[in-house]
Amino acid sequence: MSAFDYPLKEAIFSDGTELFRSPSEPERNSKVTVRLRMPNAEGFRAFVIVNGRRIPMRLFRTHLLFSLYEADFTVDTRKVSYCFFIEAPEGSYFYNSYGLSEEHLPSYDFRITPGFRTPDWAKGAVMYQIFVDRFCNGDVENSVTDREYYYIDNYVSAVPDWNRYPEANDVGMFYGGDLKGVLKKLDYLQDLGVEVLYLNPIFVSPSNHKYDIQDYDHVDPHYGVIAHDDDRVLSEGDTDNRHAYRYIARVTDKENLEKSNEFFSDFVAEIHKRGMRIILDGVFNHCGSFNKWMDREGIYEDADGFAPGAYHSAESPYRDYFSFREDAWPDNDSYEGWWNHPTLPKLNYEKSPKLCDEILRIAEKWVAYPYGIDGWRLDVGADLGHSRAFNHMFWKRFRTGVKNANPDAIILAEHYGDPAEWLEGDEWDTVMNYDAFMEPVTWFLTGMEKHSDEFREDMLNNEVAFVEAMRNNMRKFETGSLYTAMNELSNHDHSRFLTRTNRMSGRTAILGPELAGQGVNRAVMREAVLIQMTWPGAPTVYYGDEAGQVGWTDPDNRRTYPWGNEDMEMLGFHREMIRIHKNYPALRTGSLILLTAERGVLCYARFNIDSVVIVAINNNPEDREVMIPAWKCGVTDEVKLVRIMKTDQAGFWPDAVIVFPRNGTFTVRLTAESGVLYKNMTNDEKDITNE
């Protein structure tokens, strides 16, 4: 086949992956080679502009369709930004992450921070988030019992029916999930294809969500081991937790705490033995009012080995861990609460060097022997401290300590908005990817806000909004941070994605839980999973999504995993898509290129030097015929493409259908609410008969 005519400007491409930048994450004081794909045509010249310095590029390799140019430069210890300058027969252009433009847009330039390396194991890793109380009850003996203690105006209670809906005021209701339950289901998770577990908080805490930490040094015995117990719970009408003898025994007894930590150490060892990894939730902006440093409830007053809490005593060694507005001891209620929540005392780092050292010790403790977790997810990471300057200073110290204790640990933060100032190589590795994944995908496929609080017709199927949101937000990441970002469709803070497909606005307290499962569209959910497993980043499944679980936003999104009632078709689709994601390196670390987009239709490719994967989505309620310009990702007419997945309203098929490009394109009829996935056939693969 001879080269065919194609739009020359659309042939130009580069990014920060290994094919176009080697090494992708360079060390300090080292040489970097950057490459630019150019038209295989006369009259083109290319330069790379590095921090304002123009360097000519040389021809590296010629392809039937394209020529690859490269140039070298040396980085020192300073940050580097670069773009490309192209001289073409019809004019001159700049190229960076924005694409080709006649004017230079510096905010879109490619960036390098020498020495900033994100863990290779996390790039494109398949993660699985578990809200422990709702996943699996592996030990009924350690479960919270009725009236064990009093919290947020209610006695805590055990929920005997695993399938019961969460109530609107759900914080003190426990279903009994624990770490033994997770251990029991590791075979299931491995069969699904999970590589990394992310657990919501597991340390001693009074709530089911455990973002109100009581003791950072110990796994909650309700999730671990209770060796010593007490049968005395609060009497009806008694709300004084100093009488909550069962709870006090369970969470202050040294043997309970030590055995729970020992169990967790063995738990992590089993995960590592299976070749999997584990990330824990680090809640370091605030703690809980039950925390032993505050001890508002008097839990630790008579417990052995604990100093007085700051709530009761002005002489407490922890007084400066918190900000008190008044000298009002004992029982000083004037402490600062995060968002004014009295159950969430904000930690007062600026006034307490000792607190800083203590939290850093805790962070290092859990990533080091004998636990050896593989990283932290940082809750509300940008909120820590009382100033942006202190926040950055603390996270710099945090990174140094954690990476010294475990160089391969990941530091991944919860963050909404632009994360760039924390992703400069000396603080976080990456973030939960709301702006450059969850939100654009949700708006495009469902027209819903991620809490199910709003439906916007103008955002549904809006390909322009999707492409612009992705392009604008992905540029804020360096390559390593983007490819390790946690790409979720659902999580514990937002409605389940499957519920969003019903396009209803509401919450469980207003609409009731039953409506969360009515009118849902499983075909649209499968489209979302197809994107999730093929988009740059670490695809992260929220427990139960793969089984068809639904739910409004918090707390309804924290329904139990539906053991025995799984949507087996949805589960099978997740298993197949995870297998595909793991089988093709281009889907972990390959380049992303948009092939075409129109109303309700997206088509893009992931590719590296050896392989190409093409994805096409039609989210319209009617069929669309789409011409796919496969030449943009290097596919010539000699290349056979085989369809390896199709999903639509009727189900999904991991079939094998061959297509043959003509003049670099092929046309596919996409049925309503469908998605297809093609890959190039390599020379060592068997031919597959066209169906």
Side-chain angles (χ1 to χ4, degrees), residues 270-283:
E270 177 61 24
I271 287 171
H272 288 162
K273 179 182 175 182
R274 292 167 177 257
M276 302 167 74
R277 303 211 180 225
I278 180 170
I279 297 169
L280 291 187
D281 219 317
V283 189

Side-chain angles (χ1 to χ4, degrees), residues 275-523:
M276 302 167 74
R277 303 211 180 225
I278 180 170
I279 297 169
L280 291 187
D281 219 317
V283 189
F284 303 128
N285 165 70
H286 54 272
C287 63
S289 57
F290 278 51
N291 190 282
K292 62 185 179 183
W293 301 331
M294 175 67 76
D295 197 24
R296 177 174 176 148
E297 301 298 311
I299 299 294
Y300 296 93
E301 280 186 1
D302 297 322
D304 292 336
F306 295 95
Y311 180 77
H312 298 289
S313 173
E315 306 305 317
S316 169
Y318 312 119
R319 173 177 170 174
D320 64 356
Y321 284 23
F322 308 97
S323 177
F324 291 92
R325 294 182 298 277
E326 303 171 11
D327 291 332
W329 283 275
D331 300 347
N332 193 337
D333 285 313
S334 71
Y335 58 87
E336 178 186 5
W338 184 60
W339 285 74
N340 295 318
H341 291 296
T343 57
L344 301 176
K346 185 168 173 64
L347 293 170
N348 190 31
Y349 288 92
E350 286 91 335
K351 300 296 184 181
S352 180
K354 181 182 173 184
L355 170 64
C356 293
D357 292 342
E358 182 71 358
I359 292 294
L360 293 171
R361 177 193 66 78
I362 289 163
E364 295 167 25
K365 165 183 173 174
W366 293 101
V367 299
Y369 179 84
Y371 308 107
I373 68 167
D374 299 290
W376 288 105
R377 177 267 189 188
L378 305 175
D379 187 58
V380 294
D383 287 12
L384 183 140
H386 291 87
S387 71
R388 189 60 59 87
F390 180 86
N391 182 276
H392 286 302
M393 183 276 290
F394 179 85
W395 291 126
K396 286 176 171 60
R397 287 187 63 192
F398 185 93
R399 182 181 185 87
T400 297
V402 167
K403 295 289 186 175
N404 283 341
N406 183 348
D408 219 19
I410 192 168
I411 301 171
L412 185 157
E414 176 191 26
H415 186 69
Y416 299 85
D418 187 350
E421 62 187 280
W422 288 272
L423 300 178
E424 296 188 350
D426 54 358
E427 297 182 51
W428 308 339
D429 285 312
T430 190
V431 295
M432 301 178 78
N433 198 2
Y434 291 115
D435 290 7
F437 186 77
M438 182 189 281
E439 290 196 0
V441 172
T442 293
W443 285 120
F444 181 79
L445 292 180
T446 71
M448 294 298 298
E449 185 271 337
K450 61 184 178 294
H451 288 282
S452 288
D453 282 342
E454 179 187 16
F455 171 69
R456 287 182 55 182
E457 183 77 37
D458 64 310
M459 294 296 286
L460 176 64
N461 290 332
N462 187 333
E463 82 285 3
V464 175
F466 177 88
V467 171
E468 286 302 309
M470 286 298 195
R471 178 162 61 180
N472 185 56
N473 290 309
M474 290 171 74
R475 72 178 170 88
K476 298 169 184 175
F477 295 80
E478 293 193 27
T479 302
S481 293
L482 181 65
Y483 281 64
T484 54
M486 187 179 279
N487 287 353
E488 292 189 296
L489 296 171
S490 318
N491 62 26
H492 64 291
D493 284 326
H494 306 95
S495 60
R496 294 271 182 174
F497 188 91
L498 185 55
T499 287
R500 279 175 241 153
T501 67
N502 68 15
R503 302 180 190 172
M504 284 189 215
S505 299
R507 299 198 175 201
T508 192
I510 299 170
L511 299 182
E514 291 83 2
L515 282 180
Q518 291 190 16
V520 298
N521 190 326
R522 287 170 174 78

Side-chain angles (χ1 to χ4, degrees), residues 14-317:
S14 188
D15 63 13
T17 63
E18 198 70 30
L19 178 58
F20 294 98
R21 184 167 74 210
S22 182
S24 181
E25 297 175 302
E27 297 296 332
R28 297 180 179 92
N29 302 308
S30 64
K31 187 182 82 168
V32 181
T33 300
V34 295
R35 300 187 180 95
L36 177 69
R37 194 185 75 179
M38 295 274 286
N40 191 5
E42 298 292 330
F44 286 84
R45 288 204 307 164
F47 304 83
V48 61
I49 302 175
V50 184
N51 287 348
R53 181 168 63 100
R54 185 181 294 190
I55 303 171
M57 302 189 75
R58 61 186 179 272
L59 180 65
F60 168 63
R61 180 179 296 169
T62 299
H63 178 267
L64 189 60
L65 302 178
F66 312 120
S67 295
L68 203 59
Y69 286 75
E70 68 177 17
D72 307 320
F73 54 88
T74 300
V75 298
D76 47 33
T77 60
R78 295 168 295 180
K79 294 176 176 59
V80 173
S81 63
Y82 68 93
C83 68
F84 299 98
F85 181 71
I86 298 107
E87 293 179 349
E90 71 275 22
S92 299
Y93 304 93
F94 293 90
Y95 184 89
N96 53 19
S97 66
Y98 181 85
L100 202 67
S101 60
E102 294 185 359
E103 60 177 314
H104 183 205
L105 303 172
S107 63
Y108 287 86
D109 282 355
F110 301 111
R111 299 193 309 277
I112 300 173
T113 301
F116 181 19
R117 291 191 60 83
T118 55
D120 287 338
W121 62 262
K123 294 180 174 74
V126 178
M127 300 188 182
Y128 190 90
Q129 179 185 350
I130 296 178
F131 192 89
V132 177
D133 182 61
R134 308 296 163 83
F135 185 63
C136 179
N137 189 343
D139 182 1
V140 296
E141 298 300 322
N142 64 12
S143 298
V144 172
T145 58
D146 291 346
R147 296 204 318 277
E148 190 172 316
Y149 52 101
Y150 193 80
Y151 190 53
I152 310 186
D153 302 323
N154 283 290
Y155 295 107
V156 297
S157 61
V159 180
D161 179 2
W162 183 257
N163 297 311
R164 178 174 151 186
Y165 296 127
E167 295 186 6
N169 184 11
D170 172 70
V171 68
M173 304 182 72
F174 294 84
Y175 287 70
D178 50 33
L179 292 176
K180 290 182 182 178
V182 179
L183 187 65
K184 179 180 176 181
K185 297 298 183 180
L186 287 183
D187 286 346
Y188 162 77
L189 295 170
Q190 276 201 293
D191 180 65
L192 184 62
V194 171
E195 297 171 299
V196 184
L197 296 186
Y198 154 45
L199 304 184
N200 287 108
I202 64 169
F203 304 119
V204 179
S205 309
S207 68
N208 54 39
H209 58 69
K210 299 200 177 297
Y211 284 95
D212 44 2
I213 304 296
Q214 182 173 329
D215 181 349
Y216 289 95
D217 270 308
H218 297 101
V219 170
D220 196 318
H222 296 93
Y223 282 179
V225 177
I226 296 176
H228 290 163
D229 211 349
D230 192 307
D231 61 3
R232 292 173 293 171
V233 298
L234 288 171
S235 301
E236 190 64 43
D238 185 359
T239 61
D240 186 346
N241 280 320
R242 287 172 296 186
H243 304 150
Y245 301 113
R246 165 167 277 196
Y247 184 70
I248 292 170
R250 287 180 164 193
V251 300
T252 68
D253 182 89
K254 293 296 184 182
E255 187 173 0
N256 289 343
L257 298 173
E258 290 168 4
K259 283 188 177 296
S260 293
N261 280 9
E262 289 169 6
F263 173 81
F264 180 69
S265 178
D266 293 341
F267 173 81
V268 175
E270 177 61 24
I271 287 171
H272 288 162
K273 179 182 175 182
R274 292 167 177 257
M276 302 167 74
R277 303 211 180 225
I278 180 170
I279 297 169
L280 291 187
D281 219 317
V283 189
F284 303 128
N285 165 70
H286 54 272
C287 63
S289 57
F290 278 51
N291 190 282
K292 62 185 179 183
W293 301 331
M294 175 67 76
D295 197 24
R296 177 174 176 148
E297 301 298 311
I299 299 294
Y300 296 93
E301 280 186 1
D302 297 322
D304 292 336
F306 295 95
Y311 180 77
H312 298 289
S313 173
E315 306 305 317
S316 169

